[in-house]
Amino acid sequence: MESGARTNARHGIMWYMVRRAWVENLNLDVAAGNLHTEMLRDWHHDPWGWPEIEFLARVEPEIIHQHCLSAGSQQAFPIEVPKENWSTRPAVVLDIADRVLYQALVDSISVDIVGTLSPNTFGWRLPAISPAPGEYSNQDLQWHTYTGHLNRLATFSSTALRTDITSFFASVPINAVHEDIQDRATPGAHLDRLHSLIDGFQTIPGRLGLPQRSTASAVIANMFLNPIDDVLTSHASSAPNVFKSKLQYHSFARWMDDIWLFTQNPASARAAQKDLQSVARNLGLNLNIAKTEVLEGDDVAKQALEIEHSAIDDAITENSNFVPLEELIDGLLEDREKASRSSINFASVRMRKYDHFYRLDDLLELAPRMPHVADAWAKLLKKAKQPELMQEWFVEYAGSEWAMFPWSLSHFARLFPSGFQPNRQLIEYFTETVVNAGASLPILAVAVQRLCAWNPTAGRAACHAAYQQATDPHVKRILALGSLQVGQGRNMIRRWVSADKENYPTLRMLEHRNFTPPVVSKFFSG
């Protein structure tokens, strides 16, 4: 008995020491803030804005502390997000506890791994002066500074190399990532848990590399591309100090794996390309040759300016001239499947801002052929068209051969707000989507939330039918929270979220709230 008591005491002391180490190294409040910033740009939007994140950070952090002592990762949900020309990106919805822990761990070592990042590298970074753990620069400001830097460099340069890396996040070799982190950060239990968590992500079927649309992944990726920055610096010249900054800027700019290098002649640009390809291969990556080009003369400024389309903004604000915007829209609709996401987003924002709904009927006809920008077009159509007039269009699209991506469907489905009175066809479509519990998470989330808002009785019945065949914890969580919204009893909701360990944070959050339903976010409800 004495030996057993001593063993239990020793284990208790070890647990206390480990727990204390996590508490000292992890700032869950900062991690939660970073995740809330990340949400609006995420590939999957949760109807309730992931309320578990705030709960884990401020109410019951013990769940994350306990999660630190486990290994690997928990079950994730893979989704397919369309890219230009009907290609796809392998996205994933991470487990809630994994997501909080991942962000907190990377935040804790962020100064070590990206604290000295080149000022010519923009996005997902700490400030170049006085960096602090997890305190990242504002992304919108970073984008504005990036495009401004490009435009200024284009003014002074006659040649530019433009390139990116093929399937970057999915191609990052994880063993090399581990080595880079070990070389830069202080060893300890937090680093071991980060390695284990990243290794766990590799077990998600078809999802190798780093999870996309994750601030934590992007910070690690910026660290991993440091050798690329070294090559760019060696081929670059000093940039004019138009920022009046203490920092030394050079004639290159990198936004993650999108790379620009400005030189004085094509030969030096091609020499840089050769060196970049060499270092990329040493990292286990490849330059995207199809997107690599050397620009000369007027094309340098033209291509650089098109990143932010500043000439279009100038024409609108200075002369109320919408012709340049209309010309951009003409070109985008002509390109259709190959139209760039950034340009479509730019056009959608300006059309909404100025109520300039140019070629809207053509857009409606062509939108099914542009699944990679469904989010941008849906925001425009939500403002330009009454939802009553869009029901027939949506149902026809959803039943057509073009509706190959649930992600795209989910954005067009949000054309119809929670307070809307839908017709029978729309109710039937959403009901069938809910009952089919095998539906992809993005469209299932919209269907559950909207159906429960429009017809609580039908929503409750559909969620109950769906749960009988549901096997995925992410799906069960959506069904449970949707059903709770329309009066499903707490005993059943508790049973639904108790079935999988991944939903333990949801269960504890609901118990803490006495099973009061979380509020649907205004961003999602429309």
Side-chain angles (χ1 to χ4, degrees), residues 289-310:
I289 300 303
K291 292 185 177 181
T292 299
E293 57 182 339
V294 171
L295 305 168
E296 299 181 60
D298 293 340
D299 283 342
V300 176
K302 179 182 177 182
Q303 293 293 323
L305 286 169
E306 283 186 1
I307 297 290
E308 65 170 348
H309 301 289
S310 57

Side-chain angles (χ1 to χ4, degrees), residues 122-140:
F122 301 90
W124 302 280
R125 60 164 301 142
L126 302 171
I129 299 175
S130 302
E135 303 291 340
Y136 305 108
S137 299
N138 178 274
Q139 279 293 98
D140 291 334

Side-chain angles (χ1 to χ4, degrees), residues 301-432:
K302 179 182 177 182
Q303 293 293 323
L305 286 169
E306 283 186 1
I307 297 290
E308 65 170 348
H309 301 289
S310 57
I312 294 176
D313 275 337
D314 291 343
I316 294 173
T317 56
E318 293 176 9
N319 303 307
S320 297
N321 178 9
F322 288 91
V323 172
L325 176 62
E326 292 174 358
E327 291 175 345
L328 171 65
I329 296 166
D330 289 338
L332 294 171
L333 293 180
E334 180 69 25
D335 287 343
R336 292 192 291 274
E337 290 93 335
K338 297 181 180 179
S340 96
R341 271 187 58 82
S342 60
S343 293
I344 293 284
N345 281 322
F346 175 89
S348 173
V349 168
R350 273 41 181 200
M351 293 169 79
R352 294 180 344 245
K353 180 178 180 179
Y354 297 105
D355 291 335
H356 191 76
F357 304 131
Y358 175 70
R359 292 189 65 180
L360 203 59
D361 290 338
D362 293 332
L363 189 156
L364 274 171
E365 181 182 348
L366 296 173
R369 299 183 59 174
M370 308 171 71
H372 63 297
V373 290
D375 50 347
W377 285 153
K379 290 175 184 176
L380 173 64
L381 292 171
K382 187 180 293 186
K383 182 171 186 182
K385 290 279 190 179
Q386 292 296 318
E388 294 84 358
L389 304 177
M390 293 300 299
Q391 294 179 95
E392 183 179 351
W393 177 90
F394 174 79
V395 172
E396 181 179 345
Y397 163 60
S400 74
E401 293 181 312
W402 290 112
M404 303 179 202
F405 293 103
W407 178 87
S408 304
L409 272 169
S410 73
H411 282 282
F412 287 126
R414 286 164 62 181
L415 286 169
F416 313 103
S418 295
F420 178 62
Q421 294 296 321
N423 63 21
R424 179 177 57 82
Q425 289 83 2
L426 201 60
I427 285 283
E428 288 176 353
Y429 171 79
F430 279 80
T431 301
E432 290 171 4

Side-chain angles (χ1 to χ4, degrees), residues 55-228:
F55 173 78
L56 291 171
R58 296 181 179 170
V59 180
E60 202 158 324
E62 193 70 28
I63 294 175
I64 298 300
H65 300 155
Q66 184 67 38
H67 195 37
C68 292
L69 299 180
S70 61
S73 63
Q74 301 194 122
Q75 188 169 340
F77 195 105
I79 59 176
E80 296 289 341
V81 178
K83 296 175 64 176
E84 290 90 344
N85 207 21
W86 288 79
S87 60
T88 59
R89 65 180 85 244
V92 65
V93 181
L94 294 177
D95 168 79
I96 296 170
D98 282 349
R99 192 173 182 180
V100 173
L101 181 57
Y102 187 33
Q103 187 63 54
L105 288 168
V106 172
D107 287 347
S108 71
I109 61 170
S110 55
V111 173
D112 294 330
I113 64 177
V114 293
T116 58
L117 208 60
S118 166
N120 301 273
T121 295
F122 301 90
W124 302 280
R125 60 164 301 142
L126 302 171
I129 299 175
S130 302
E135 303 291 340
Y136 305 108
S137 299
N138 178 274
Q139 279 293 98
D140 291 334
L141 180 59
Q142 281 288 295
W143 178 256
H144 178 73
T145 308
Y146 167 69
T147 54
H149 185 50
L150 280 181
N151 292 340
R152 279 181 282 271
L153 291 175
T155 302
F156 296 103
S157 305
S158 58
T159 308
L161 170 69
R162 185 181 186 181
T163 189
D164 69 9
I165 295 171
T166 303
S167 302
F168 172 50
F169 277 87
S171 300
V172 172
I174 294 306
N175 286 340
V177 165
H178 289 327
E179 291 176 357
D180 270 10
I181 292 174
Q182 288 172 339
D183 288 343
R184 290 171 168 81
T186 304
H190 63 301
L191 228 56
D192 295 338
R193 186 62 182 96
L194 177 59
H195 294 318
S196 175
L197 189 60
I198 294 173
D199 284 340
F201 296 153
Q202 308 314 298
T203 64
I204 304 170
R207 298 295 186 270
L208 297 177
L210 295 170
Q212 300 187 29
R213 287 290 166 121
S214 159
T215 300
S217 290
V219 171
I220 292 174
N222 264 334
M223 170 205 71
F224 190 68
L225 289 178
N226 190 62
I228 294 286

